[in-house]
Amino acid sequence: MAIDKGTVEQVAHLARIELGPGELEKLSRQLHDILGFIDKLSVLNIAMVEPASHILPISNVLREDEVRTCLTVDQALENAPSKNGNFFSVPKVIE
Amino acid sequence: MRYQTVIGLEVHLQLKTKTKAFCGCAIDFGKTPNSGVCPVCLGFPGTLPVYNKEALNSAIKVALAFSCQIQEHTKFDRKNYFYPDLPKNYQISQFDLPLSRHGYLDIFSDNKTKRIGITRVHLEEDAGKLIHESNASMVDFNRAGVPLLEIVSEPDLNSPQEAFDYLTSLKNIIEYLDVSDCDMEKGSLRCDANISLRPEGSKELGVKAELKNMNSFKGVKDALVFEVDRQAALLEAGQAMVQETRLWDAENGETVSMRNKEGAKDYRYFPDPDLTVFIIEQTMVSRIKSQLPELPHDKMRRFMRDYGLSEYDAKILVSSKKNAQFAEECIRKYPGKDKKNMANWLIGPMLSEANSRKVELHELNVNMEDLISLIGFVENQSISHLSAKLVLTQMIDSQKPAELIIRENNMLQISDTAELEQVISGVIRENEKSVTSFRAGKTNALMFLVGQVMKKSAGKANPKIVGELIKRRLTDA
């Protein structure tokens, strides 16, 4: 898969990362190389391998519907960069 | 040109478990903001979500109630997007291996039963709540992580009314299952609608609009009605439709285009490595299936079979779980042989009392024994059906027993023929014309004369007996 600058710009936007001068070219090259390494997997014959969505062979991990203690409001807000009363406060977003 | 309306609905349902989907925080919406949160639902690094067993059980119940196929293999995926109501910057949802697919829901619309396909029922989590202030947005994460079900219909709905009936049926079934509050105003049930128009007979789907921000079933219907007109006008004018999200503005009764977000949505779904896969064994499905309560359709069939009700009557009575329970208790307690009598009272006078008071049938403050005694008075012809309805109104207003109201208002029917004969003589004397036309064979005239007697007796005469008496008098003479 070829990575062009447009793809990198799109990924950067989705991740809310601002790229500095020269970074677009550099990252395009690096991502292209990384995907090239991964592409080597395509030479393997995986016809007999079951698809896996998880690396651990465990399933059905569930918990009972039992209440556990939550944080206090103060604890919850302790690390917030900005708060307002009992709320987290963030730069205004409008839908 | 004539157009066919094509609608598909996406319903989000909050499950009423004790705790959230992936952590043990208690769900309680009355609470102080951010008092029901923990490191897991706040998305702190290093925490691990573990799914709620009860939520899975409830979800399987819902899927089974809609006759969906439960998928043997199911998993959670991350749906990535940035919005401050989402502390992890992704929502845990399901993408390519949902809990269930291929179900259906039968709706009763326009006196016909129609089967609406259900594409999938899948598991996900709710986001937090935002309150927008003038220069900041405030976030409350109490709702973040509440278990949600997403129920997606096929585009099988062809009118706003059908969409409304679909929602009503869906809510009814969920209420029977008792797994969600289903309150659209409180947000425990939310609905987005996809709607497009296409020339009648066309197989291809038109360009759709996605409608959001409706907060009642009526709002959904109103928004769709508006959108049908808007889209038809655009198509008529030969203008190209844009695929977009539109918000329903209930105050102005219109849908408004949401400013288009740059580019198409790109959620980059991928399997959530923090959660394991789920293998849903057939034995588990069978066990849950055997625990399902009687659902509206089955209850309706049973009412028809056991109580001799018509499909129409039974359908009305089962249209809400609590009404059905109330109705069945009334019918069971009713001592008469023909259970239909009680059903008629419930669907007739009782339901109209409920409607005029804007409450549900089961919320009417009527004592069952009292209702049965009132019906008894009608059956032994002590009072007319008409006065009985008045008594019912007073029973609800004054909370007095039927018998007392009948006595206080002197409403007992006059079945005493001697007393009636006197009134009848007067009426015959005063209405010679009608008497003549009755003798000339006009049966309508009899109705008129009976009516006059009823009037003179202030509605207390027994109309059946009055009719008989007048007939006998006029034919004998």
Side-chain angles (χ1 to χ4, degrees):
Chain A
M1 183 186 168
I3 289 280
D4 56 22
K5 285 185 197 165
T7 312
V8 176
E9 273 175 337
Q10 166 73 356
V11 172
H13 171 73
L14 287 170
R16 302 295 188 269
I17 293 172
E18 266 181 62
L19 298 181
E23 280 186 312
L24 183 59
E25 288 73 19
K26 190 177 154 195
L27 286 171
S28 301
R29 223 169 26 247
Q30 289 185 344
L31 279 170
H32 180 82
D33 290 347
I34 290 168
L35 287 180
F37 294 136
I38 292 169
D39 226 22
K40 291 192 174 158
L41 289 172
S42 63
V43 303
L44 297 174
N45 180 2
I46 53 164
M48 304 298 284
V49 182
E50 286 274 313
S53 54
H54 203 278
I55 51 160
L56 299 176
I58 47 173
S59 60
N60 297 22
V61 180
L62 290 162
R63 64 177 178 86
E64 296 298 324
D65 185 21
E66 282 163 8
V67 176
R68 289 171 57 174
T69 330
C70 300
L71 296 175
T72 63
V73 184
D74 289 341
Q75 283 173 327
L77 294 170
E78 203 177 325
N79 294 320
S82 174
K83 55 193 158 190
N84 184 347
N86 292 324
F87 292 92
F88 291 89
S89 178
V90 297
K92 188 169 184 180
V93 285
I94 303 170
E95 295 195 321
Chain B
M1 196 184 283
R2 287 183 60 83
Y3 297 100
Q4 186 191 32
T5 304
V6 180
I7 299 166
L9 296 181
E10 237 172 65
V11 169
H12 285 96
L13 199 68
Q14 274 177 353
L15 295 174
K16 56 172 184 189
T17 45
K18 289 204 280 287
T19 64
K20 291 186 177 180
F22 298 107
C23 60
C25 289
I27 299 172
D28 174 5
F29 296 112
K31 279 203 294 210
T32 317
N34 294 306
S35 62
V37 294
C38 76
V40 174
C41 58
L42 285 177
F44 284 9
T47 55
L48 273 183
V50 183
Y51 198 57
N52 185 333
K53 199 186 221 171
E54 194 50 42
L56 182 63
N57 270 325
S58 301
I60 293 175
K61 278 186 196 167
V62 171
L64 287 174
F66 295 137
S67 309
C68 287
Q69 293 163 16
I70 307 295
Q71 305 297 295
E72 204 188 311
H73 232 91
T74 184
K75 68 169 167 71
F76 284 108
D77 299 279
R78 293 185 179 180
K79 178 182 181 178
N80 300 279
Y81 62 93
F82 288 107
Y83 205 63
D85 63 0
L86 203 63
K88 301 188 292 294
N89 288 339
Y90 59 85
Q91 178 194 30
I92 303 177
S93 180
Q94 296 198 287
F95 185 53
D96 57 332
L97 295 175
L99 175 75
S100 65
R101 303 178 200 261
H102 308 307
Y104 61 83
L105 172 59
D106 285 334
I107 62 167
F108 192 64
S109 211
D110 206 10
N111 275 319
K112 282 187 294 271
T113 300
K114 183 173 171 182
R115 181 155 290 184
I116 308 300
I118 304 247
T119 318
R120 56 194 271 160
V121 175
H122 79 231
L123 317 168
E124 55 184 39
E125 60 171 343
D126 212 342
K129 245 184 194 159
L130 289 174
I131 298 168
H132 302 290
E133 300 271 285
S134 57
N135 50 9
S137 294
M138 311 220 290
V139 198
D140 171 10
F141 285 121
N142 280 353
R143 203 181 64 181
V146 166
L148 286 187
L149 284 190
E150 180 170 316
I151 305 167
V152 184
S153 89
E154 290 288 310
D156 289 345
L157 300 157
N158 295 118
S159 70
Q161 182 61 43
E162 282 185 10
F164 183 87
D165 294 333
Y166 170 89
L167 289 172
T168 314
S169 265
L170 180 144
K171 178 179 169 174
N172 190 20
I173 291 174
I174 305 289
E175 276 177 350
Y176 271 71
L177 294 174
D178 198 23
V179 295
S180 170
D181 290 331
C182 287
D183 190 333
M184 230 176 143
E185 267 157 45
K186 289 190 186 133
S188 51
L189 188 157
R190 278 164 263 163
C191 175
D192 299 337
N194 288 305
I195 172 169
S196 63
L197 262 52
R198 63 179 167 197
E200 214 152 85
S202 162
K203 289 266 173 256
E204 225 168 289
L205 286 171
V207 179
K208 70 176 180 185
E210 187 184 5
L211 309 184
K212 288 179 181 282
N213 200 37
M214 294 83 80
N215 57 14
S216 67
F217 287 179
K218 193 179 166 294
V220 173
K221 187 178 160 185
D222 291 347
L224 287 166
V225 167
F226 176 87
E227 199 57 21
V228 169
D229 290 346
R230 188 188 71 88
Q231 294 190 11
L234 279 177
L235 292 171
E236 270 315 304
Q239 291 191 41
M241 286 276 307
V242 203
Q243 182 165 336
E244 60 181 351
T245 302
R246 300 180 68 87
L247 296 181
W248 172 240
D249 175 352
E251 216 162 285
N252 295 311
E254 59 180 7
T255 64
V256 184
S257 177
M258 215 168 121
R259 265 175 300 149
N260 250 333
K261 285 184 203 151
E262 346 82 69
K265 286 173 193 155
D266 187 350
Y267 293 127
R268 292 150 294 142
Y269 283 97
F270 66 89
D272 192 325
D274 284 349
L275 288 148
T276 67
V277 297
F278 291 88
I279 314 287
I280 315 275
E281 307 270 1
Q282 197 47 51
T283 49
M284 180 184 184
V285 177
S286 309
R287 181 176 50 79
I288 296 175
K289 201 172 208 164
S290 70
Q291 292 164 354
L292 286 182
E294 185 181 41
L295 293 173
H297 186 79
D298 301 321
K299 201 182 273 292
M300 178 191 84
R301 293 274 155 222
R302 188 170 58 77
F303 277 16
M304 289 166 67
R305 195 180 59 234
D306 290 0
Y307 307 129
L309 305 188
S310 69
E311 182 171 338
Y312 181 83
D313 291 352
K315 212 160 244 162
I316 292 177
L317 293 180
V318 303
S319 64
S320 104
K321 185 185 184 180
K322 284 185 175 157
N323 283 349
Q325 279 170 346
F326 174 77
E328 181 149 35
E329 217 184 319
C330 289
I331 290 171
R332 281 207 181 132
K333 282 194 176 156
Y334 174 70
K337 256 208 181 118
D338 191 356
K339 300 294 185 186
K340 227 184 140 357
N341 284 346
M342 175 53 92
N344 286 340
W345 264 87
L346 294 171
I347 293 159
M350 286 284 284
L351 194 60
S352 63
E353 286 290 341
N355 289 341
S356 69
R357 288 159 202 267
K358 295 194 167 55
V359 295
E360 289 286 320
L361 191 61
H362 68 89
E363 290 168 333
L364 274 180
N365 223 338
V366 173
N367 178 294
M368 260 176 231
E369 273 76 23
D370 239 18
L371 176 64
I372 290 166
S373 105
L374 175 64
I375 300 173
F377 280 110
V378 182
E379 276 165 1
N380 66 24
Q381 304 196 0
S382 304
I383 60 173
S384 68
H385 190 74
L386 197 72
S387 355
K389 284 202 253 181
L390 298 174
V391 175
L392 179 65
T393 309
Q394 287 194 40
M395 275 164 66
I396 299 167
D397 288 338
S398 67
Q399 290 299 306
K400 287 181 186 165
E403 199 181 344
L404 184 64
I405 296 169
I406 293 168
R407 244 188 300 120
E408 278 181 356
N409 295 285
N410 194 18
M411 286 166 116
L412 281 181
Q413 273 192 148
I414 309 166
S415 300
D416 173 5
T417 45
E419 199 175 329
L420 288 175
E421 289 284 8
Q422 264 188 348
V423 186
I424 290 170
S425 299
V427 168
I428 288 178
R429 236 189 345 265
E430 288 156 26
N431 295 281
E432 264 178 50
K433 251 172 92 180
S434 300
V435 171
T436 324
S437 50
F438 174 75
R439 285 187 168 134
K442 291 209 173 122
T443 39
N444 274 353
L446 178 65
M447 301 287 284
F448 174 78
L449 292 170
V450 172
Q452 292 303 306
V453 176
M454 295 304 290
K455 212 165 159 188
K456 281 211 165 179
S457 68
K460 288 193 301 182
N462 181 331
K464 233 182 184 166
I465 296 176
V466 172
E468 292 299 315
L469 291 175
I470 297 180
K471 238 197 277 181
R472 204 182 310 152
R473 279 276 287 273
L474 295 184
T475 38
D476 285 355

